[in-house]
Amino acid sequence: MSEANASATRITPGNALRPEDIALEVRTGLAKPSEDTAEYALRLGDDALILAQRLGHWISRAPELEEDIALGNIALDQLGHARSLLSYAGGAMVNDDGSAKSEDDLAYFRREHEFRSVQLFEQPNGDFAATIARQFVVSYYQFLLYSRLTESKDATLAAIAAKAVKEVDYHRDHAAQWVLRLAGGTEESRKRMIHGFRIMWPYVEELFRDDDLTGRLAEAGIAVAPSSLKEDFDRLTGEVLTEAGLEVPDVPAAPGGGRQGRHSEHLGYILAEMQVLAREHPGASW
Amino acid sequence: MAAQNLQSVPVELTAGTSETAEADGQANFDRVIAEDSRIEPKDWMPPAYRKTLLRQISQHAHSEIIGMQPEANWISRAPSLKRKAILMAKVQDEAGHGLYLYSAAETLGQNRDEMTDALIAGKARYSSIFNYPALTWADMGAIGWLVDGAAICNQVPLCRASYGPYGRAMVRICKEESFHQRQGFEILLELSNGTPAQKQMAQDAVNRWYAPALMMFGPPDDDSPNSKQSMAWNIKRFSNDELRSRFVGMMVEQVRVLGLTLPDDQIRFNEDTKKWEHGPLDWDEFHEVLAGRGPCNSQRLERRREAHDDGAWVREAAAAYAAKQLNKQKEYAA
């Protein structure tokens, strides 16, 4: 079977899609995103990559072995989504030698202002409650986003979303269970859960902001307009918060700007650590 | 958190209620061992057998958990996203191995919390190898190839250990360990075929991990007092030196494929004994590390203690929430 034939059957919604399959499609020219679509994939891919980097820190430090495994699993899922999305995005971006940018070109050789993740994803882990607060928001957002994206007219995005949504559904359940436990556990855990939501909530609004790019792509049936997810997000997260006896924090929204490359102070440190080895050996393969 | 519901069963109480029962139990135990069959948790077993297994399985579990640290150290800096994913999955597997093994140990009457307390109090041992630092990315290769390779040599025979829960846990663990070793080999192979700096990094890592990996099999046979009894009980199947020799033979073959060398010019195959031999190992260093004076002993334990202490409020919250839910259910039922 030729490389092209091998991959032609892979990218269908519901298939066990691997990042390598997407990369192969991009290399063989079977998958070719438009510049807009690539930018959109880059946004979602960067969100997932930065979150994976954050969550990976918990492995060997979690409150219980089961959580080392659970948070590690969520980090791995996010990393998988990031790899697929970045591989696809790279199909419309070229290196100096004319080759398409790979997932690693994009992850390791861009600087802060070239990352397109929103600021929520780069927020520090804090304590376990802060991590759960961030994860709760992210999981509901991603679940709604990927659910809708399965209907994208872009076959590759639809296929990535079809795989991701099943995984993110578990992340959502995991986070919601912990919100209930921490809010309803001890006085200490409730206080920490409330604090966790207070420090993460300023970055929630940015998730649902439309711009010209999402406008064009949503119109074409390729992307989901972020604002269109807000109502369901409020309703679904509201149900859990109500059950937990919590309220949506009354805190002002941060200006954000991650989609345009404006980040918090945190991203520089994340990238410094993530990229250091790859940059010490440019051109090396691992 | 299931561990919190288990009551610790004092070893003495489970060792039989009357002399007749104990004699019957001993007879059954002897028969099972003679038939090379399996002892299960509810079977009578000699207190010393229980104690030996509990020590061995809990030490093995602790080794998996402490062993997560040197590799977790490189997750954030893995040089490609594929390697990052593989490394995350590997460290996650190790947490899983720790869980199976703690569960197997719990069947002998000690709960996970007690074992964890012993670990962070510095009273329980874990494999000394994890007290060495993982300094470069190539260490991820050397740990997988040499450390997991040595672990497999040790653990494959344990799949036939006479204690059922331990043997069964080892079957799954060994399958995953063999993936781990292959990924370590692959990392080194890629580095060895890479730039001169990468190849140097790989050789340096192999040089540092070789001797500690050989010492993972434990002291030489004439200095290993517990081995004889463990072999009589069908827990251990081969002696430390026998396993070490086999391991050296395997590594000699594989290092050639890697295009690297082992830092030991005295390796040879002894035609008379049909066994591989290696150069002298620094057993003083081994005992120093074992006694807590290794490069990372303090760091590894402190990290585990910190995670445990930082997570205390979370575990308390989960227990309190579970108790409240149970009360609600009871009220509803009433």
Side-chain angles (χ1 to χ4, degrees):
Chain A
M1 211 167 7
S2 74
E3 272 202 339
N5 282 339
S7 67
T9 55
R10 301 285 313 177
I11 298 186
T12 54
N15 206 337
L17 189 68
R18 300 172 311 143
E20 288 82 0
D21 300 321
I22 312 257
L24 185 60
E25 295 251 322
V26 166
R27 275 204 309 278
T28 53
L30 278 169
K32 176 77 184 153
S34 69
E35 276 186 30
D36 273 1
T37 304
E39 175 74 11
Y40 183 67
L42 193 65
R43 291 178 175 191
L44 307 188
D46 284 347
D47 285 349
L49 176 60
I50 299 303
L51 183 62
Q53 188 73 6
R54 279 293 193 212
L55 289 173
H57 187 78
W58 276 107
I59 302 173
S60 79
R61 292 181 176 90
E64 191 73 286
L65 280 181
E66 284 83 348
E67 282 307 303
D68 279 299
I69 295 175
L71 292 173
N73 219 43
I74 295 170
L76 260 176
D77 287 343
Q78 293 287 334
L79 185 56
H81 308 161
R83 295 183 60 204
S84 291
L85 288 160
L86 294 184
S87 293
Y88 188 44
M93 302 171 191
V94 288
N95 289 310
D96 292 342
D97 66 3
S99 62
K101 284 193 185 288
S102 68
E103 52 176 301
D104 288 337
D105 292 329
L106 290 170
Y108 292 95
F109 295 94
R110 278 181 301 153
R111 298 176 60 186
E112 281 114 294
H113 68 273
E114 296 170 292
F115 274 75
R116 293 289 176 262
S117 43
V118 294
Q119 294 185 4
L120 177 66
F121 294 85
E122 68 209 41
Q123 294 309 305
N125 286 342
D127 64 7
F128 186 71
T131 289
I132 290 298
R134 186 184 63 201
Q135 200 56 41
F136 177 76
V137 172
V138 164
S139 304
Y140 275 86
Y141 160 75
Q142 287 184 330
F143 177 73
L144 293 167
L145 170 66
Y146 290 137
S147 298
R148 293 264 305 278
L149 208 54
T150 58
E151 290 155 24
S152 171
K153 286 183 179 162
D154 183 290
T156 306
L157 283 181
I160 295 170
K163 179 167 190 282
V165 72
K166 291 181 204 154
E167 297 172 348
V168 170
D169 198 12
Y170 285 108
H171 306 176
R172 184 174 72 133
D173 185 46
H174 171 263
Q177 295 290 336
W178 272 113
V179 167
L180 294 176
R181 266 187 218 118
L182 296 182
T186 62
E187 207 176 307
E188 166 84 2
S189 67
R190 184 173 179 81
K191 199 174 74 185
R192 286 178 185 255
M193 192 69 251
I194 291 169
H195 178 70
F197 275 124
R198 278 190 74 84
I199 57 176
M200 294 299 171
W201 215 266
Y203 305 97
V204 171
E205 194 267 336
E206 188 186 4
L207 291 168
F208 302 101
R209 226 176 266 170
D210 296 333
D211 61 12
D212 290 348
L213 178 82
T214 55
R216 287 194 298 276
L217 288 175
E219 176 84 27
I222 289 170
V224 179
S227 64
S228 68
L229 302 171
K230 186 69 166 56
E231 195 183 322
D232 283 343
F233 174 86
D234 287 343
R235 182 173 53 80
L236 292 172
T237 54
E239 285 169 10
V240 180
L241 293 177
T242 303
E243 192 183 338
L246 299 175
E247 285 171 6
V248 172
D250 182 18
V251 288
R259 299 291 188 223
Q260 286 73 45
R262 290 193 302 277
H263 293 280
S264 66
E265 291 172 345
H266 307 298
L267 187 67
Y269 289 95
I270 296 175
L271 298 187
E273 193 172 349
M274 183 173 82
Q275 297 177 336
V276 61
L277 183 58
R279 285 182 178 236
E280 270 176 26
H281 302 266
S285 79
W286 301 94
Chain B
M1 262 144 281
Q4 286 163 353
N5 300 326
L6 273 179
Q7 291 298 314
S8 174
V9 183
V11 167
E12 295 75 11
L13 292 182
T14 60
T17 49
S18 73
E19 281 180 21
T20 326
E22 184 164 331
D24 288 350
Q26 181 73 54
N28 182 61
F29 178 83
D30 291 344
R31 183 183 53 78
V32 169
I33 298 296
E35 287 172 356
D36 202 358
S37 186
R38 279 197 154 150
I39 302 293
E40 295 299 336
K42 287 182 178 168
D43 295 342
W44 184 92
M45 61 188 89
Y49 176 84
R50 183 186 297 274
K51 194 176 160 195
T52 297
L53 274 169
L54 193 52
R55 190 189 64 225
Q56 181 170 338
I57 302 173
S58 62
Q59 281 181 10
H60 191 166
H62 297 328
S63 302
E64 296 283 356
I65 300 311
I66 296 289
M68 292 166 71
Q69 292 183 29
E71 293 174 293
N73 182 39
W74 281 92
I75 289 175
S76 65
R77 292 173 292 168
S80 76
L81 296 186
K82 184 180 170 189
R83 291 283 173 214
K84 190 191 289 286
I86 293 170
L87 187 59
M88 266 189 195
K90 179 177 192 281
V91 182
Q92 194 195 24
D93 280 352
E94 283 154 9
H97 296 174
L99 270 182
Y100 309 144
L101 289 163
Y102 281 129
S103 301
E106 283 183 331
T107 65
L108 292 161
Q110 195 173 44
N111 71 38
R112 205 206 307 174
D113 290 344
E114 290 170 317
M115 290 183 263
T116 302
D117 288 345
L119 173 66
I120 60 180
K123 290 180 189 160
R125 283 186 173 161
Y126 55 87
S127 182
S128 270
I129 193 86
F130 301 116
N131 290 316
Y132 290 87
L135 299 174
T136 72
W137 171 252
D139 289 36
M140 299 303 95
I143 289 175
W145 181 53
L146 289 169
V147 176
D148 293 333
I152 292 169
C153 276
N154 252 332
Q155 290 170 7
V156 166
L158 288 174
C159 296
R160 294 189 289 127
S162 57
Y163 189 57
Y166 192 30
R168 287 188 289 272
M170 292 317 301
V171 172
R172 178 159 176 188
I173 290 173
C174 284
K175 281 184 191 163
E176 295 181 351
E177 290 292 354
S178 76
F179 274 110
H180 295 178
Q181 194 199 14
R182 275 157 53 186
Q183 69 86 38
F185 183 86
E186 200 198 1
I187 287 176
L188 289 176
L189 189 63
E190 192 80 33
L191 292 173
S192 180
N193 291 325
T195 65
Q198 285 179 301
K199 183 164 186 173
Q200 179 57 42
M201 197 195 289
Q203 184 63 60
D204 169 65
V206 170
N207 291 351
R208 281 183 289 109
W209 289 94
Y210 169 76
L214 256 57
M215 290 194 271
M216 282 174 70
F217 294 96
D221 292 348
D222 51 17
D223 188 27
S224 180
N226 298 328
S227 285
K228 204 175 160 195
Q229 179 62 71
S230 281
M231 288 175 81
W233 277 330
N234 295 344
I235 298 173
K236 195 173 168 79
R237 300 283 177 168
F238 303 100
S239 79
N240 295 353
D241 287 334
E242 167 72 31
L243 290 169
R244 189 165 17 242
S245 162
R246 280 190 201 181
F247 176 65
V248 168
M250 283 162 54
M251 295 300 107
V252 165
E253 293 293 316
Q254 293 177 15
V255 82
R256 284 196 203 112
V257 182
L258 286 174
L260 300 171
T261 57
L262 294 174
D264 184 345
D265 57 9
Q266 295 181 49
I267 294 179
R268 68 179 194 114
F269 186 71
N270 185 324
E271 289 293 346
D272 297 334
T273 61
K274 302 289 177 204
K275 287 187 194 306
W276 284 92
E277 293 175 355
H278 54 84
L281 294 166
D282 184 353
W283 291 105
D284 289 341
E285 177 182 305
F286 177 80
H287 289 295
E288 280 292 291
V289 179
L290 205 62
R293 291 186 287 271
C296 300
N297 296 58
S298 165
Q299 176 190 335
R300 301 285 187 243
L301 264 194
E302 183 53 28
R303 164 87 159 269
R304 185 88 300 265
R305 201 176 288 134
E306 197 177 271
H308 188 74
D309 292 350
D310 288 352
W313 69 270
V314 179
R315 296 190 299 276
E316 283 159 18
Y321 181 75
K324 285 180 197 172
Q325 294 301 105
L326 197 66
N327 277 341
K328 269 190 203 165
Q329 279 172 14
K330 279 183 191 159
E331 279 169 27
Y332 184 72

